[in-house]
Amino acid sequence: MPQVVRSRIRALHGPPPVSPLPHRARSLADREAVAVLHRAARGLLEALPELTDRLVEALREQEPAYRAAMETEPSEIWQEVHHSLRHNVASLIQPREFREAAHRTSRWIGESRAEQGVPLDAVMHAFRMGGAMVWQDLVDDTARRHPEDTRLLVHVAADVWNFVDEHCGVVAEAYRQAERRLSWRRENQQRLMTAALLDGTARIADLPDAAVMLGLPVQGRYAVLAVAGARRVPHGTGRPPLALPEGTAALWHSAGDVELAILPLGAVPVAAEAEPRADGETENAPAPGPAAASAAELAALADDLTAPPGTRVGISSVVDGLASVGDARRLAGTALRACPASGGTILLDEHLPTALVVSSPGLGTALADRVLGPLDRLDPADRDVIIETLTAWLDSDGSAQRAGAKLYCHRNTVLNRLRRFEQLTGRCLTRPSDAVEVSLALAARRLLAG
């Protein structure tokens, strides 16, 4: 058998991957094979509708991914297959004239199938089925009309299959590019929708679509968690290195220096069933109301949450409905501002007085200056000792004994320092209104200083 040389089909379908070899004369067998291929391809063009019908039916039977599309839009699928076959078969005859049009068709098919969600494997299978059917028809037509020329097709078989592989590559690349665009678009839409929910700017009419897009119920219970001061994991997901309790769902969103998480919560626990008593009567076990159950749920979450040292975490109250996520975000921001600079987790429901202070920093600063201002006339070290003692005493529920244990001093020392505070400020710590003002002033001094 004479040596097979590069046919003009391969030469005209793109530059070779390596430097071209010196020009060699084309063998007679190769030239004859190309002529046979062109003659058979022209016959395929004349019977193209029948070839399209057979390929569409083969796809229906052998490729399940195409079956649904054929049921909903059969004419569109037929036209697509016909268009692709026409350009590709014509490219076998006149590659220079039809190559770019054939590539455009293949790219369009790859993009369309990606948008429709047809798996790439199914698209590639469909193209190879088409290539196999075209090649078989070329052989069958030649064997029927010119059986003596059938052997010559061996010389162009590799070129035909290289042509099929070339278009499979075009389809795959177009599919992947479209998939990346679609993925970026979905992620961007999810990010924008999440931001709108957290900002409270989402329209009520958009909530059902947002719920489907984000996998969240429209009518549900939600809390928002705000995190600051935590470094993101390098080359990671961008989320803070925060360990939520196992089974806790979270939808994260970055808002500058603060990371936010929407926490969808479960249904409110129902009351326990009535239990029989010894006398045969029944009594209902006490069940917490919705607010108490929500507070307990968030308290359990805060207790089980682990964060790196220095991380500040604020957790909002529970809100009802996806439309209220913006309110929860603002509450989480308030809780975050109530966190000490050194780090920690603040559950808003458990620090409402402190939240009041940070919610109005101007009033908080004015209160701190009014209540604690007289201490600023002291030596800083002396002032700090009094403030430390006052804080320990309040944290110990007014017990000088426990405050002294915390400060490693005698209870009388604590009492002496408290009396000095009262003399300097004119406040009476046993008067409830003064005690409240002192507590809020200390929180304002701690959280709003600087």
Side-chain angles (χ1 to χ4, degrees), residues 263-289:
L263 305 177
L265 305 175
V268 177
V270 298
E273 294 183 358
E275 297 181 356
R277 297 190 313 198
D279 57 6
E281 298 294 329
T282 59
E283 63 178 336
N284 290 324

Side-chain angles (χ1 to χ4, degrees), residues 86-87 90-103:
R86 180 164 59 85
H87 281 93
S91 294
L92 296 176
I93 305 171
Q94 296 176 294
R96 195 182 297 274
E97 289 80 359
F98 286 93
R99 178 176 184 270
E100 185 54 40
H103 277 197

Side-chain angles (χ1 to χ4, degrees), residues 231-261:
R231 295 183 178 179
R232 295 180 178 87
V233 180
H235 310 295
T237 61
R239 300 175 182 175
L242 196 72
L244 295 174
E246 185 176 357
T248 302
L251 178 62
W252 288 95
H253 178 76
S254 179
D257 295 334
V258 177
E259 299 293 329
L260 301 169

Side-chain angles (χ1 to χ4, degrees), residues 94-174:
Q94 296 176 294
R96 195 182 297 274
E97 289 80 359
F98 286 93
R99 178 176 184 270
E100 185 54 40
H103 277 197
R104 282 198 302 270
T105 301
S106 296
R107 282 194 293 268
W108 179 82
I109 292 174
E111 292 173 355
S112 299
R113 292 293 166 257
E115 292 173 356
Q116 293 168 355
V118 178
L120 178 57
D121 288 346
V123 182
M124 301 294 284
H125 183 212
F127 259 77
R128 291 196 171 94
M129 285 175 62
M133 189 170 289
V134 167
W135 172 250
Q136 188 62 51
D137 279 16
L138 291 171
V139 174
D140 291 347
D141 181 80
T142 303
R144 184 176 62 256
R145 299 185 183 186
H146 307 279
E148 71 280 2
D149 292 338
T150 304
R151 62 180 180 80
L152 291 173
L153 291 177
V154 173
H155 295 273
V156 293
D159 296 312
V160 173
W161 285 106
N162 285 341
F163 176 83
V164 173
D165 287 342
E166 175 187 339
H167 277 266
C168 284
V170 171
V171 169
E173 180 60 24

Side-chain angles (χ1 to χ4, degrees), residues 335-357:
L336 186 64
R337 291 194 299 274
C339 286
S342 57
T345 299
I346 291 294
L347 184 59
L348 185 70
D349 288 344
E350 296 180 354
H351 296 81
L352 292 176
T354 304
L356 288 173
V357 170

Side-chain angles (χ1 to χ4, degrees), residues 108-412:
W108 179 82
I109 292 174
E111 292 173 355
S112 299
R113 292 293 166 257
E115 292 173 356
Q116 293 168 355
V118 178
L120 178 57
D121 288 346
V123 182
M124 301 294 284
H125 183 212
F127 259 77
R128 291 196 171 94
M129 285 175 62
M133 189 170 289
V134 167
W135 172 250
Q136 188 62 51
D137 279 16
L138 291 171
V139 174
D140 291 347
D141 181 80
T142 303
R144 184 176 62 256
R145 299 185 183 186
H146 307 279
E148 71 280 2
D149 292 338
T150 304
R151 62 180 180 80
L152 291 173
L153 291 177
V154 173
H155 295 273
V156 293
D159 296 312
V160 173
W161 285 106
N162 285 341
F163 176 83
V164 173
D165 287 342
E166 175 187 339
H167 277 266
C168 284
V170 171
V171 169
E173 180 60 24
Y175 186 101
R176 294 188 182 101
Q177 288 180 358
E179 200 173 38
R180 286 192 291 270
R181 288 196 302 270
L182 290 171
S183 176
W184 178 87
R185 191 181 306 162
R186 282 193 299 268
E187 292 175 359
N188 192 50
Q189 289 175 340
Q190 290 174 349
R191 184 166 55 252
L192 292 175
M193 185 56 69
T194 303
L197 289 174
L198 289 166
D199 292 341
T201 57
R203 299 183 304 175
I204 298 297
D206 293 334
L207 292 182
D209 291 338
V212 173
M213 183 187 303
L214 302 176
L216 300 172
V218 175
Q219 301 300 331
R221 298 163 56 248
Y222 293 94
V224 171
L225 182 145
V227 185
R231 295 183 178 179
R232 295 180 178 87
V233 180
H235 310 295
T237 61
R239 300 175 182 175
L242 196 72
L244 295 174
E246 185 176 357
T248 302
L251 178 62
W252 288 95
H253 178 76
S254 179
D257 295 334
V258 177
E259 299 293 329
L260 301 169
I262 299 176
L263 305 177
L265 305 175
V268 177
V270 298
E273 294 183 358
E275 297 181 356
R277 297 190 313 198
D279 57 6
E281 298 294 329
T282 59
E283 63 178 336
N284 290 324
S294 297
E297 187 175 1
L298 288 184
L301 185 147
D303 290 340
D304 294 339
L305 182 148
T306 57
T311 303
R312 297 162 51 233
V313 181
I315 305 177
S316 74
S317 304
V318 174
V319 297
D320 292 323
L322 204 56
S324 300
V325 167
D327 296 333
R329 185 260 172 93
R330 286 185 285 275
L331 295 175
T334 300
L336 186 64
R337 291 194 299 274
C339 286
S342 57
T345 299
I346 291 294
L347 184 59
L348 185 70
D349 288 344
E350 296 180 354
H351 296 81
L352 292 176
T354 304
L356 288 173
V357 170
V358 298
S359 296
S360 183
L363 292 177
T365 301
L367 177 63
D369 291 342
R370 178 184 174 187
V371 175
L372 304 177
L375 300 182
D376 292 334
R377 295 191 293 267
L378 300 175
D379 180 85
D382 195 13
R383 176 199 62 203
D384 293 344
V385 167
I386 294 179
I387 290 179
E388 182 184 24
T389 303
L390 189 59
T391 302
W393 180 75
L394 289 171
D395 291 343
S396 301
D397 297 326
S399 169
Q401 186 73 34
R402 291 201 299 271
K406 290 181 179 179
L407 300 172
Y408 303 101
C409 64
H410 196 273
R411 64 180 298 275
N412 290 339

